[in-house]
Structures are given as structure tokens and as C-alpha cells.
Amino acid sequence: MEATREIYWNVGHGVVLPMYLVTLMAFAACAYGCWKRVEVYRQGKAINRLDNLRERITLMAGNLFGQTRVLRVAGPGIPHALFFWGFVVLFIGTLFVMAQADFSQPLFGIKILTGSFYKGYSLVLDLAGLAALFTLFGLALRRFVARPEGLKITRDDYLMHGLLSAIIVTGFFAEGVRMAATELRQNPDLARFSPVGLFVAGQFAALDLQSLKELHRLWWWCHFLLVTGFIAAIPWTKFRHLMTTPANYLFVDLRPKGSIDTIDLEAEGVEHFGVDKVADLTWKDIFDADACTSCKRCQDRCPAFNTEKPLSPMQVVQQIGETACTAPQADLIETVGRDALWSCTTCRSCQEICPAQVEHVNKVIEMRRNLVLMQGEFPGEEVMVAANNVEVNGNPFGMAYAERGKWADGLPVRHLSDGEEADILYFVGCYASFDKRNQEVAKSFVKICDAAGVSVGILGKEERCCGEPLRKLGNEYLYQMTAQENIELIKGYGVKKIVTTCPHCLNTLGRDYRDLGLDVEVEHYTVFINRLIGEGTLALAPHQFDYTYHDSCYLGRYQGIMEQPRNVLHVAGGRINEMQRSGLESFCCGAGGGRILAEEKLGSRINVQRVKMAEATGAPLIVSNCPFCLTMFEDGIKTGDCEGKLAVRDLAEVVAERLATPLEIGKTGPELTMAAVTALAEVAGRIEPAAPEQERLAAAEGVSA
């Protein structure tokens, strides 16, 4: 017999008209619901998220059909992706049925579902339905039985799991009863290509034909009405994320990570800055709430939430959505809470992991802008003092301008104010300029450049704070004021390349300053040193040491710079013990978002938690790449009871200790004599000349950092 089946078997072609009418009603209800949601989004300000449409469509297709963002967390990600792919296959299968029954066969006499194609079609659809059912069951167990802490359950969750399960089950029952009445009796060989349907058919095989027909009509109509009910429910329930999440992939911010809108502070007629009402947000900010799937991945990774602070990125997004729907005139800042807003470290961990491409960080920054610029509020008195110091002295410590370049006395550093030229401008930053611990990093970097034959210039007493901590705390006015002064200086000296040891300066000068007119290459020193080594300009004398490496948020997640620092440390002889949270998953030190200027008064200390993660690796050394991180870890080691068990060094310090002497250049690890290594350490000023016994032990065990 021909391998095919009769479409609309038992229900008849007379069902087509009422079926399409009901379907049309379902789509009308869906369209009306979508329009009501659009009215909510339109409360926000306009923003163009349809530029570079080809790139956006490519990103959307990859994220949607590849489920790439969902699969970043394998546990729930794999079953979710399998369910999605299974449901897509079932949907495509339904389109084939519609195409043959309502178009190709009645109009052209062409059967699509026949022969070997039909056999493969039947097998694939049965397996896809089975995979969807099992993965849905697994997801239900996770949500309702083994529910992870913080995973909320709502009425919509029960509706979603129940309705989707019912659609799949009734589909299999309708198929099985049909097969019991047809294929089991007429073409049992064909039935093997529908294994799930065959199993169900076996349960009904004993019924007479009339009973099977009545039962089939019942299951067919149940399945159909459940499907149309699902379509109608999409915009009115949590099902809406089936549309809004793919759309959010299309509406993604294509600017460099961490970009912030630069306010025109001199625009005529503008008297309100930041966000305190729904109308101050963009439509995309409101749309994000509908794209959110409440998976709590952002919350799981938030350093503030994980140290008992009143901030959940997921909750902030949902509060915005609820306010937009129920009370658009309400005060958003009061709704979210000041403590929650000030707790954010802008580490971007939430956005990096979000499977729906929700944008959390800038919403917080915009509300902070309103607090600072419109209400004159700060997270603490110490922040107000720091801001005043920046305004008056150009740095948050209140140190005199003349002291800014004193750290470089006696070093081969050129002051651009003296008319000297240099290969690079080293933008030192406030911490490396004034903090004694971080001054060692600046000195080490200069030594490295000198060894590589790179001349270093600085702005010295003319340099001001880059303004990044102030901007992240919402003080856009003071940020722009200090930024403009730096930009005028840099342009005035005709600088072609800037290198900085601070990731916060890197992001600010290299990205934010472009909005204010600075177009100069800016590079982080870890990338700069890695290239010098690769080009053979910088030679190191490696000696072995064990360490763990901290990916600072503003270098790793914001800039994607993760391999270059590790490569430098490997060349220097390092053996890495990675922390559980590293790379894109790295845990914040607690200083980002301007928190370096504020006291941590709520919950436990973020830096201590990160230090404990480092201690768990068993490595005796944390290597950092950021002055904020170095400062936080120095403090965290003391307050976290890790003194004597753990030390922290900056990458520049590690490299400066391993600069090859002229006699060592061209030699590798085994060829370096202990005398040469000891001499190197003496030059770096780290240890005293070794006694013979110390030499013997060091040769046997290696020299640690």
C-alpha cells in the first residue's frame, strides 16, 4: 500500500471552514493583545533599534535557532533548547499538512506527504514530539519540584507547562487512535514509522471502529482548540516571551559593550535628567520586561545579590514592567529602592548571561542620574567628598595637582608639558598616581616599557580623573567637565596612542570619550605587553610560580580581553589555577559602578567573597590587572582572614620582576642560571642576595612571585 495517510480523516473536509474561522479568531485575539502591549511600550521615548538590519537579523537567527544564549547555562539550557527545536519541528510538520490539504492537493492534485518522504516525516515528528514532552517534563520538575532558590512560580508558569503538555499529549492521542483505526488494520508496516503513535494505538486496538472514530474526533477537537487557545493566550500571558525574546535579539544594542548615552547638558529646554518615571525610559527599556523569562540567571551572578544586598537585576526589570502596566506615573526610584540602585557595581554579569538580551545596567545608571542631577542624592557622605575633590583637585583623594606626577621622579618618563615627545601617552589614573600600593604598578609598567625601548610620556600634574566612577554613580555633569579638560590636553599634545593600566580608564577614554570628540587609539597594558613579547621587543626570564588570575569586569566582560594577560603570565613562568568564576563568568571585586568611592554598608563584603574564591584554588597568589581590584583584594585579604595564605600582585609587577638581562636574552627557562634569576630579583628590589643554601633550594623548587 502507498505510504501516506488521509488528511482530515474522520473529521471530514467540512471542518476546514470552522477550523479556519476559529484560527482567525485566535490570531485576532493575539493581534489585539500585541497591540495592547505596544501601547505600553509607547509610553517610553523613541530609540532606533532597527539600524544595520542585516546584522541584526543575522544575530537574531543565530540566537533563536541556535539557542546560543540559552545554552550558555547547560543545566536548564539543554532541555529548553531541545524543547524549542522539537516544537519548531512540530510546527513545520503542521505547515506541511496545511500546504497539502488546503493548497497543493485541492488546487494542483499534488501530494506532499507520500512515500519515503512521508515515512521520514512521520518518524521525525514523533521523535520531536517525544523530545518536547520529555524536556517539558524535566523543566517542570526543575521549576515545581527541585526549585532552585529564588526561582519564582506564578499562575502563568502552571498555565504554560499545563497547556503545552496538553497540546503534545492530545496530539499523540489523536494520532494513536487514528492509527488504531487505520494503519494497525490496513498497513502495519507503515505504523512503525510513528513509534509514539504506535504505542498509543496499541492501548486502543481492542476498541471497535465506531468507538475509535468517536474518540478520535474528541481528541482531534481538543488538540485543535488547545492550539488555538495557545495562540490567543500568547500576548496575555508569560507566553509572550515566545515573541518578545526573539524580537529582543533583533533590538540588541550594537554599540560597544557598556556604552552609555551621553547627555547634552546644554540642550535648550531640557530641565529633566535621568529616569524617575516610566515616560523617562525608552520603549526598549519597557520591552525588556516582556522579554525577561524570569530564569534568574542574572540574579544568580549578581555580586550585590550574592552578598545579601537589596538588588536583583531580574526584579528591577520586572518592577519596571509592572509599573509601566499598572501605575505609569509612579516614582520608579521609590519602586526599585535607593539601596538597590546604589548597590549595583555595573559589572555587567547580568547582561552577559541573560538569554533574552535584556539590558539591565543602563536602567540603573539612568535612575542614578536622576538621583544625583535632579535630587542631589549620593550613596554616602564619602561620595560627596570624593566628587568635590574631583571638581576642585581633579582626583577623588583631594591631593594637590602638583603631586600627581611625583611617583615618576627618577624614572625614564617624559612630561608632555615640558614639550617632550614619547611613543605612548601613559594615562596613569588617580590610583596609580596617588595610592602608594598602585604607584608600584605604574613604576613597574615604566620599567617594562624602558626594557622594550618604548618611550613613555605622561600628563603629570595636568592629568585629571577620567571621570568614570562619577559617571557610573550618575554625576554626568562632573564627568563631562573633567573629561573635556582631559580631551583638550590630549588633543593639544597631538597624542597618537594611549596606554593605561586601569580598565576603567580604558573604557572611558577609548569608548565614552569618543562621544565628546576624542578619537585616539587606547590600549590596556596587558594587551600592549603581550604584543611587545610577541614581536620580540620585550624579553622575559621566566621562572615558575603558581597563581590564580582575576578577570576584572571592565577588561573581561566589557572588552573581551582574557587570553592576552594569561599568555603574558604563561611566558613569565606562571602556572594558573583558575577560579570557579573566571572569564565571562568572573565575579566582581566590588569596586565597579563608582563603588570604589563608597563604603560597603549593606550585606557582606564582595571583595572578601572574591578573595575566598581565590583561596579555594590553593594558589598562593592572585594576579590582577586593575588598580581598583588590587586595592579591593589587598583589603579583602586582611578582612577575610587570608593574610599569610594569599597575596595579590598586579601583572605589571610580575612581569617587571622577570625582565631578562642582556646576558639572558635569547635563552629559555632551563638555560637561565640561578645567579641570573637572583640578579634579576635584586634589580627589581624584591629580595636580598641569596645565601648558598637559599640558592640550592630555589634552584630545586623555583622562584615564587
Side-chain angles (χ1 to χ4, degrees):
M1 294 183 65
E2 183 184 17
T4 188
R5 71 177 173 88
E6 180 187 347
I7 299 176
Y8 297 133
W9 175 84
N10 191 44
V11 294
H13 283 269
V15 79
V16 173
L17 181 59
M19 181 182 72
Y20 273 102
L21 285 175
V22 173
T23 303
L24 185 62
M25 291 170 60
F27 275 106
C30 180
Y32 178 69
C34 290
W35 176 249
K36 297 298 288 183
R37 300 309 299 176
V38 169
E39 288 184 337
V40 175
Y41 310 146
R42 290 175 66 184
Q43 295 177 92
K45 296 184 293 187
I47 183 174
N48 183 12
R49 286 296 177 88
L50 289 176
D51 57 322
N52 302 312
L53 199 54
R54 179 177 295 180
E55 181 182 358
R56 292 180 179 278
I57 292 173
T58 301
L59 288 170
M60 180 184 70
N63 282 321
L64 176 60
F65 295 110
Q67 291 285 282
T68 50
R69 295 191 68 86
V70 171
L71 288 167
R72 286 186 179 182
V73 181
I78 291 173
H80 187 283
L82 289 172
F83 174 79
F84 169 79
W85 291 324
F87 225 75
V88 167
V89 170
L90 292 173
F91 176 70
I92 293 171
T94 303
L95 293 181
F96 273 114
V97 171
M98 184 182 71
Q100 176 176 307
D102 303 327
F103 296 99
S104 70
Q105 191 169 357
L107 296 178
F108 307 106
I110 298 174
K111 277 188 176 182
I112 301 172
L113 303 177
T114 184
S116 297
F117 179 78
Y118 175 69
K119 291 178 180 178
Y121 166 90
S122 298
L123 180 61
V124 169
L125 257 66
D126 257 38
L127 295 178
L130 185 63
L133 188 60
F134 272 111
T135 53
L136 190 62
F137 179 70
L139 290 169
L141 283 178
R142 175 179 180 267
R143 182 168 290 273
F144 302 119
V145 180
R147 179 160 57 108
E149 185 180 353
L151 190 65
K152 295 181 178 179
I153 298 177
T154 65
R155 180 203 62 180
D156 281 4
D157 293 311
Y158 291 106
L159 173 65
M160 288 179 68
H161 283 83
L163 184 54
L164 292 173
S165 298
I167 288 171
I168 298 171
V169 169
T170 54
F172 277 134
F173 270 66
E175 178 192 37
V177 173
R178 175 188 61 77
M179 289 176 63
T182 57
E183 292 171 18
L184 281 189
R185 301 174 183 219
Q186 302 165 9
N187 193 357
D189 286 340
L190 181 60
R192 293 184 294 106
F193 291 94
S194 301
V196 182
L198 180 59
F199 172 78
V200 177
Q203 314 309 307
F204 296 95
L207 295 178
D208 62 83
L209 184 60
Q210 185 59 34
S211 298
L212 288 172
K213 286 185 175 182
E214 291 175 3
L215 199 56
H216 173 263
R217 278 193 291 270
L218 172 66
W219 287 120
W220 191 93
W221 277 106
C222 284
H223 178 70
F224 170 70
L225 292 174
L226 286 170
V227 169
T228 52
F230 161 74
I231 293 170
I234 288 174
W236 307 97
T237 65
K238 195 176 173 181
F239 278 131
R240 71 175 71 97
H241 86 266
L242 298 173
M243 295 188 298
T244 53
T245 297
N248 229 27
Y249 297 148
L250 184 71
F251 300 145
V252 64
D253 191 346
L254 295 178
R255 297 177 299 175
K257 289 182 179 180
S259 295
I260 306 171
D261 290 333
T262 299
I263 301 175
D264 184 356
L265 296 168
E266 298 180 356
E268 292 185 9
V270 178
E271 299 179 352
H272 187 86
F273 299 109
V275 166
D276 66 346
K277 297 286 192 299
V278 167
D280 300 325
L281 296 162
T282 68
W283 65 262
K284 174 62 167 60
D285 291 320
I286 304 171
F287 187 86
D288 275 345
D290 275 359
C292 174
T293 63
S294 303
C295 67
K296 82 179 189 70
R297 292 185 187 183
C298 58
Q299 181 176 285
D300 287 344
R301 286 155 183 80
C302 176
F305 184 85
N306 280 278
T307 51
E308 304 87 45
K309 296 174 180 61
L311 171 64
S312 162
M314 177 180 72
Q315 189 172 335
V316 170
V317 171
Q318 292 174 349
Q319 286 170 328
I320 287 173
E322 290 165 6
T323 304
C325 290
T326 61
Q329 296 305 314
D331 189 324
L332 271 179
I333 292 174
E334 293 295 333
T335 301
V336 174
R338 285 166 169 76
D339 286 340
L341 293 173
W342 292 127
S343 294
C344 180
T345 66
T346 66
C347 71
R348 213 175 184 276
S349 200
C350 50
Q351 283 184 224
E352 192 63 45
I353 200 62
C354 179
Q357 209 89 54
V358 170
E359 298 161 15
H360 311 75
V361 176
N362 283 6
K363 295 174 177 55
V364 171
I365 292 175
E366 288 296 339
M367 283 186 266
R368 285 180 172 184
R369 281 175 166 176
N370 186 271
L371 282 171
V372 173
L373 299 177
M374 302 304 299
Q375 303 180 43
E377 292 189 29
F378 294 86
E381 186 70 27
E382 70 280 6
V383 176
M384 292 184 65
V385 172
N388 289 334
N389 286 337
V390 170
E391 187 169 6
V392 176
N393 299 101
N395 67 82
F397 309 113
M399 303 293 286
Y401 279 101
E403 299 294 316
R404 193 168 194 113
K406 288 276 184 83
W407 65 269
D409 289 350
L411 294 174
V413 170
R414 304 176 185 182
H415 291 261
L416 300 191
S417 58
D418 295 337
E420 298 179 294
E421 296 185 352
D423 295 325
I424 62 168
L425 167 63
Y426 174 29
F427 194 91
V428 186
C430 298
Y431 269 77
S433 293
F434 298 108
D435 176 64
K436 289 188 177 180
R437 179 65 186 87
N438 277 284
Q439 284 176 351
E440 295 301 314
V441 178
K443 292 174 182 177
S444 295
F445 177 65
V446 171
K447 290 177 184 177
I448 293 166
C449 291
D450 187 51
V454 176
S455 58
V456 176
I458 63 172
L459 296 173
K461 62 184 179 181
E462 295 181 307
E463 182 184 293
R464 292 178 61 90
C465 174
C466 72
E468 189 271 347
L470 301 168
R471 190 179 207 203
K472 293 304 184 339
L473 286 170
N475 197 336
E476 182 76 4
Y477 172 78
L478 189 50
Y479 155 72
Q480 288 196 26
M481 184 182 78
T482 189
Q484 289 289 6
E485 293 190 29
N486 282 327
I487 291 170
E488 289 175 15
L489 274 173
I490 293 167
K491 283 183 172 181
Y493 287 126
V495 172
K496 303 298 182 186
K497 182 182 180 69
I498 301 172
V499 179
T500 178
T501 48
C502 177
H504 298 264
C505 294
L506 171 72
N507 280 272
T508 306
L509 273 66
R511 291 180 176 176
D512 297 352
Y513 277 21
R514 290 184 183 276
D515 288 349
L516 299 175
L518 182 68
D519 187 15
V520 175
E521 180 187 0
V522 185
E523 194 168 50
H524 192 253
Y525 78 106
T526 56
V527 179
F528 182 67
I529 292 172
N530 186 59
R531 188 171 60 255
L532 293 178
I533 292 171
E535 293 171 349
T537 308
L538 182 66
L540 300 186
H543 51 276
Q544 190 172 289
F545 65 103
D546 294 320
Y547 74 101
T548 189
Y549 176 73
H550 171 72
D551 291 282
S552 63
C553 306
Y554 275 72
L555 194 66
R557 273 187 292 273
Y558 276 73
Q559 292 280 349
I561 298 172
M562 287 168 280
E563 294 306 315
Q564 298 95 320
R566 285 172 170 80
N567 183 60
V568 171
L569 293 166
H570 175 72
V571 172
R575 297 188 306 185
I576 191 167
N577 297 308
E578 290 283 11
M579 285 185 260
Q580 187 176 4
R581 298 282 299 272
S582 63
L584 292 175
E585 288 275 345
S586 184
F587 195 79
C588 184
C589 74
R595 295 295 313 176
I596 188 69
L597 305 179
E599 291 292 334
E600 194 170 357
K601 300 171 184 175
L602 301 174
S604 58
R605 297 185 70 83
I606 296 172
N607 59 340
V608 172
Q609 186 157 329
R610 185 54 168 169
V611 164
K612 292 295 184 182
M613 293 179 190
E615 183 188 19
T617 67
L621 180 70
I622 313 175
V623 177
S624 67
N625 56 50
C626 169
F628 293 2
C629 296
L630 183 63
T631 301
M632 297 301 283
F633 293 151
E634 289 277 4
D635 176 69
I637 287 171
K638 295 174 184 175
T639 56
D641 194 29
C642 290
E643 287 186 287
K645 295 180 282 186
L646 195 61
V648 59
R649 307 291 299 287
D650 188 90
L651 180 141
E653 295 177 294
V654 174
V655 172
E657 292 168 355
R658 290 160 175 78
L659 296 175
T661 64
L663 290 175
E664 296 167 326
I665 293 175
K667 297 182 179 181
T668 57
E671 298 173 284
L672 292 175
T673 65
M674 190 57 219
V677 175
T678 306
L680 172 64
E682 289 174 343
V683 170
R686 310 307 301 184
I687 63 173
E688 295 297 325
E693 178 64 15
Q694 290 174 310
E695 284 188 20
R696 185 185 66 77
L697 291 173
E701 299 176 8
V703 178
S704 169

